Amino acid sequence: MSKRTRNIVIAALSAVALLLVAAVVIGRVTVATGMPAIDKMVAEGEMPGAVRALKSQYHFDNPAGMAALHNFSLTVLRQALNQSDPFERCYVATALAAYGDWSGRAAIDKALTSSNFLVQKAAVEGLATVGSPEAIDILTRFYHGSGQDGRLMAVQGLAQVKTPAVLPILIEAAKDPHANLTVWSVNGMGHLGDPKALPYLTSLLDKSPDPMVRTETAHSMILLGDHNDKLVALIVKGLDTNDIQQASEAAIDLGDAQDKSVVPVLIKTYKDEKVNPRVRLAAAVALTHYGNNEGMQLLKTALVDRTYGKYLPSMLDHVDFTVGRPLLIGALASSDQVMRLAAIEAIGRAGGDNEVELLKKASVNTQDPIEIAQIAWSLGRIGRRKCIPVLLDMVQNPDPEVRDTAADSLGHAAGQIRSRESASPR
């Protein structure tokens, strides 16, 4: 499965409501007569005809056109609920839920009780990206009803949700005796953006003897606005350990600290050939967050040197886009598919109009449905008008993974465009 299984996009529900109102006011006749015919073609598997009808009946430079794209997206996703593949059913069900459509709830419930760990994981990650009160409630009940592995899976999902509603369950999970649960819970609190988590994190920092927990707690406190020199020093200390995972995480965390005093330490770390390659790369990545490209040569070396390259894909998403764009373009042309997929994802998260053409060219250069689906996901994240023609082509792809991702991305792009334009001054 493509990495997009872990990255279902949350649509702005308020923007969707505006789109539907606009469709009624501006495009009453077209929506009433055009969409049913298009829906029928989708149901009959006539996707090329449906796309031709959509393009001929709507212009995608107005609210009615955006509403039509949104409706088309939901129609394709609802139709996909009927397929046999449990991963695809789970993907489309959670994608629909992100738009407030729970017609795939049965598929989600079935996935969560599956004996296949990966199917369960797909459901948890999909629900996490939905992030609505109902999705959080389902994840919380899954957490309480699961064993150790299930609880860890649930917390890893909840750690990605950026709403204050998840704070109580994250605090509960942080009290678990297993350090992995605590680390993920603390990580989630940091990315939550809610200062109400600070008192608990401060208490945890005082009590926990676990080095990884202490490093991640300091990192989360910094993310929440506590720019204390002692916290930065604690993360720097995390670099000096034989635990490679902890040291590399500490290096990445220092990039988030936005404290220029750590730059010499990061430079020393990435240059030291005695340091583990993973940690050296992490230090080079962290430097990009200070506008420093000194470690870029090492990062580019990792594109062709397997000793370093095996660690780079998971770090591409942490590279500052302004400094690291040339690296991501290089990774996009890598002979390693894992590297290419990671680059496509990172470009989707941080790119804009200029990157649409890059992704379009990448889609022409591959026949692999996994890569095309990842490109579709990234175009949806970028969410510009230039993405729409490419996605309309992709939604006609016979591979379900490509078709469903492109459909979801069309809906997300429509919401992004309408929301962006509504926020722009007239």
Side-chain angles (χ1 to χ4, degrees):
M1 292 295 291
S2 163
K3 292 180 77 173
R4 58 85 159 145
T5 307
R6 305 199 320 269
N7 296 290
I8 315 298
V9 183
I10 303 172
L13 298 181
S14 58
V16 169
L18 286 171
L19 294 181
L20 296 178
V21 170
V24 172
V25 174
I26 298 174
R28 185 187 305 273
V29 176
T30 307
V31 172
T33 59
M35 286 310 298
I38 293 170
D39 292 352
K40 184 173 184 292
M41 282 186 273
V42 171
E44 293 173 348
E46 293 292 334
M47 198 65 70
V51 171
R52 283 196 300 271
L54 188 70
K55 291 163 76 172
S56 68
Q57 295 179 35
Y58 298 95
H59 298 288
F60 305 124
D61 58 357
N62 59 54
M66 291 299 101
L69 280 177
H70 168 77
N71 291 339
F72 178 71
S73 167
L74 266 61
T75 297
V76 176
L77 291 173
R78 288 178 188 131
Q79 186 66 24
L81 285 171
N82 298 322
Q83 60 195 302
S84 59
D85 187 293
F87 287 101
E88 281 306 302
R89 282 203 311 272
C90 184
Y91 174 74
V92 297
T94 51
L96 283 165
Y99 298 104
D101 181 336
W102 288 90
S103 58
R105 175 63 187 272
I108 295 171
D109 290 341
K110 187 174 182 179
L112 288 173
T113 57
S114 172
S115 59
N116 187 326
F117 176 83
L118 294 177
V119 174
Q120 281 190 321
K121 190 172 179 62
V124 167
E125 292 170 346
L127 287 167
T129 54
V130 174
S132 68
E134 185 169 356
I136 293 169
D137 180 63
I138 295 170
L139 287 173
T140 301
R141 285 189 280 110
F142 179 79
Y143 172 84
H144 287 134
S146 297
Q148 186 64 31
D149 290 341
R151 289 199 301 273
L152 178 59
M153 190 194 307
V155 171
Q156 287 172 332
L158 288 164
Q160 310 305 313
V161 181
K162 296 183 180 180
T163 174
V166 301
L167 183 56
I169 186 66
L170 289 178
I171 290 177
E172 178 184 340
K175 296 175 182 177
D176 191 283
H178 292 82
N180 272 347
L181 271 174
T182 304
V183 167
W184 274 100
S185 301
V186 165
N187 185 278
M189 291 181 214
H191 290 97
L192 190 58
D194 187 352
K196 290 179 182 177
L198 277 171
Y200 177 78
L201 291 172
T202 301
S203 174
L204 181 63
L205 190 62
D206 290 339
K207 296 176 182 177
S208 178
D210 187 288
M212 179 67 90
V213 172
R214 289 175 60 78
T215 299
E216 286 306 307
T217 301
H219 176 225
S220 288
M221 292 175 71
I222 290 171
L223 290 179
L224 293 176
D226 187 349
H227 296 285
N228 187 316
D229 290 345
K230 292 181 179 179
L231 297 176
V232 175
L234 184 57
I235 300 174
V236 171
K237 185 178 179 181
L239 282 173
D240 188 20
T241 174
N242 291 325
D243 186 325
I244 303 306
Q245 181 180 351
Q246 182 187 341
S248 60
E249 289 293 337
I252 293 291
D253 291 349
L254 289 174
D256 292 335
Q258 287 302 292
D259 185 325
K260 292 183 179 180
S261 69
V262 305
V263 170
V265 177
L266 291 171
I267 291 175
K268 179 182 177 182
T269 301
Y270 104 78
K271 284 185 174 181
D272 190 344
E273 295 184 3
K274 295 179 182 178
V275 172
N276 180 274
R278 179 177 171 183
V279 181
R280 292 184 69 194
L281 283 179
V285 167
L287 280 170
T288 66
H289 289 269
Y290 296 93
N292 188 311
N293 64 0
E294 284 194 45
M296 194 57 63
Q297 187 55 53
L298 179 65
L299 293 170
K300 289 180 178 179
T301 296
L303 294 176
V304 293
D305 183 339
R306 184 61 185 164
T307 302
Y308 287 87
K310 61 185 177 182
Y311 302 116
L312 185 58
S314 64
M315 296 185 188
L316 288 180
D317 205 31
H318 295 283
V319 174
D320 177 81
F321 192 75
T322 302
V323 175
R325 188 176 186 272
L327 174 71
L328 295 175
I329 293 174
L332 201 59
S334 171
S335 60
D336 181 347
Q337 186 183 50
V338 175
M339 189 79 75
R340 293 196 302 271
L341 289 171
I344 293 166
E345 182 175 343
I347 289 170
R349 291 187 183 279
D353 279 322
N354 292 335
E355 284 63 52
V356 174
E357 192 62 31
L358 271 179
L359 294 177
K360 182 180 177 180
K361 288 179 180 177
S363 72
V364 172
N365 292 333
T366 180
Q367 297 298 316
D368 190 309
I370 295 175
E371 289 189 51
I372 299 172
Q374 186 64 58
I375 292 168
W377 179 87
S378 289
L379 288 170
R381 288 288 294 201
I382 291 173
R384 301 297 201 277
R385 289 192 190 279
K386 291 166 62 175
C387 301
I388 293 173
V390 188
L391 290 170
L392 285 173
D393 285 341
M394 289 180 171
V395 83
Q396 301 174 62
N397 191 299
D399 188 281
E401 187 173 14
V402 177
R403 179 200 63 217
D404 300 341
T405 308
D408 182 27
S409 290
L410 280 168
H412 185 62
Q416 288 267 76
I417 292 165
R418 187 67 181 96
S419 180
R420 193 181 299 115
E421 292 180 353
S422 296
S424 299
R426 299 288 181 180

